[in-house]
């Protein structure tokens, strides 16, 4: 087949296997950095990692989802999907310009956060170079080229580990893994290109940047709220006066407890084109069954994540990061629950996105973020446990709100 297309089942399995390897490589990268830098020395890298992927996913996931949805939809109807690519590329460029301008204005605060002007520069450049990588992910998703999507992420994660290992070996310090984070998306984009696809049978109607943003704008809000919960922990601990050792410990604990998320999130993200296709060709009933199966599988994975963190987390974090990284099982189980609820929320996001109801997904995450802030204000416990439990409770509230909204809008008698 010219396009190298994979179906939902085969494609999801391939992506899961690819991201299992990628997750192991990411685990190796973080473990190497934590062992080499120590708990306090690892803190700036934990802050950089959290800030990069919070902003990257806020800025660029909207484009990935837009491409995945509308390219798949138009291709299934034989219509020209290239206007979608041109539109997303234009507004991604505009977002990049706005981000750089804002980051330069905020550079004194960023340098205070990271503790090093070189890390501030690495943050700004890394966020920008991730734009084409996320654009390429959307193209792969839209054309169902799962093998190429997996290969790109493998190239990215393996390049990051190899570069970091080499620079840490020569004593580069935290700048070594920071540079590896920066170069990894460039390696992924250069290593794997999209396969040729069959030309469209019919011309497609124009797809303007405004049209793209009507879908992607609520997606950006959704991702902003969700990523604040998922990646904001180390930044929050630092803002609340936590010591560098506490920031480093929470950063390592987050990485350890969410390793399954690195595998599952891209698989869930690739569900959108399949869900859109099922909804447009089969209708609400097959669509509902598809979402129910996905929620069941992800729910079972979440139970295993929390149970594994409770039973083996204290032992695992010492192996992962070093003997001086000492976290309680309650904190580790809470962070695992955060990742598990986040995955369930992602599945519900795909269901609402496919129905064109991204605003409701964003509303659910807004409820979760508000719940997290309220929990942070009322809980009385150690700083790290207070932040961990507050984030987990916020993610749980988001899932409950999104599930209620999804059940409401799927009833045919309720107008949308």
């Amino acid at each position: 087949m010219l396009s190298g297309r994979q179906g939902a089942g085969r494609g999801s399995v391939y992506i899961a296997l690819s991201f299992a390897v990628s997750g192991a490589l990411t685990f190796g990268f973080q473990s190497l950095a934590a062992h080499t830098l120590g708990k306090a020395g690892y803190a700036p890298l934990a802050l950089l990692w959290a800030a990069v992927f919070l902003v990257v996913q806020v800025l660029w996931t909207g484009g990935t989802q837009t491409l995945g949805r509308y390219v798949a939809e138009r291709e299934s109807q034989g219509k020209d999907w290239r206007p979608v690519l041109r539109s997303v590329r234009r507004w991604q460029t505009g977002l990049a310009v706005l981000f750089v301008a804002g980051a330069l204005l905020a550079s004194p605060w960023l340098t205070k956060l990271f503790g090093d002007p070189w890390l501030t520069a690495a943050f700004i450049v890394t966020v920008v170079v991730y734009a084409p990588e996320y654009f390429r992910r959307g193209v792969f998703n839209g054309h169902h080229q799962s093998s190429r999507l997996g290969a790109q992420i493998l190239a990215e994660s393996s390049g990051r580990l190899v570069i970091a290992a080499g620079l840490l070996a020569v004593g580069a310090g935290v700048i070594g893994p920071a540079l590896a984070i920066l170069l990894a998306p460039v390696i992924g984009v250069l290593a794997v290109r999209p396969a040729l696809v069959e030309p469209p049978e019919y011309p497609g109607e124009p797809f303007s940047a405004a049209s793209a943003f009507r879908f992607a704008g609520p997606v950006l809000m959704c991702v902003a709220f969700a990523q604040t919960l998922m990646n904001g922990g180390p930044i929050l601990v630092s803002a609340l006066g936590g010591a560098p050792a506490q920031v480093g410990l929470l950063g390592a604990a987050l990485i350890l407890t969410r390793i399954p998320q690195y595998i599952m999130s891209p698989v869930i993200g690739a569900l959108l084109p399949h869900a859109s296709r099922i909804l447009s060709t089969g209708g609400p009933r097959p669509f509902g069954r598809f979402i129910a199966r996905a929620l069941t599988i992800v729910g079972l994975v979440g139970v295993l994540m929390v149970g594994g963190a409770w039973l083996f987390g204290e032992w695992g974090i010492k192996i992962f990061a070093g003997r001086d990284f000492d976290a309680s099982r309650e904190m580790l189980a809470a962070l695992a629950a955060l990742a598990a609820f986040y995955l369930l929320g992602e599945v519900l996001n795909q269901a609402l996105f496919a129905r064109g109801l991204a605003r409701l997904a964003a509303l659910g995450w807004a409820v979760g973020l508000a719940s997290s802030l309220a929990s942070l204000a009322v809980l009385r416990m150690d700083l790290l446990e207070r932040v961990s439990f507050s984030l987990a409770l916020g993610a749980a509230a988001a899932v409950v709100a999104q599930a209620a909204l999804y059940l409401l809008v799927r009833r045919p008698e309720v107008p949308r």
Side-chain angles (χ1 to χ4, degrees), residues 24-34 45 49 160-161 164 177-178 180-181:
L25 293 169
T26 300
F27 186 90
F29 165 79
Q30 295 286 352
S31 179
L32 175 66
L45 185 67
W49 182 273
R160 182 166 52 229
L161 176 59
I181 294 172

Side-chain angles (χ1 to χ4, degrees), residues 14 79 96 100 106 126 152 212 220 230 246-247 274 277 298 376:
Y14 189 92
K79 296 181 179 179
V100 172
T126 303
Q152 176 178 282
L220 291 177
M230 284 307 300
Q246 290 178 302
V247 174
H274 300 305
R277 188 182 298 271
V298 172
L376 190 67

Side-chain angles (χ1 to χ4, degrees), residues 2 70 136 167 227 339 342 358 372-373 382 412:
L2 187 62
Y70 288 106
R136 188 67 61 77
L167 292 176
Q227 291 306 312
Y342 174 81
S372 181
L373 293 175
D382 172 80

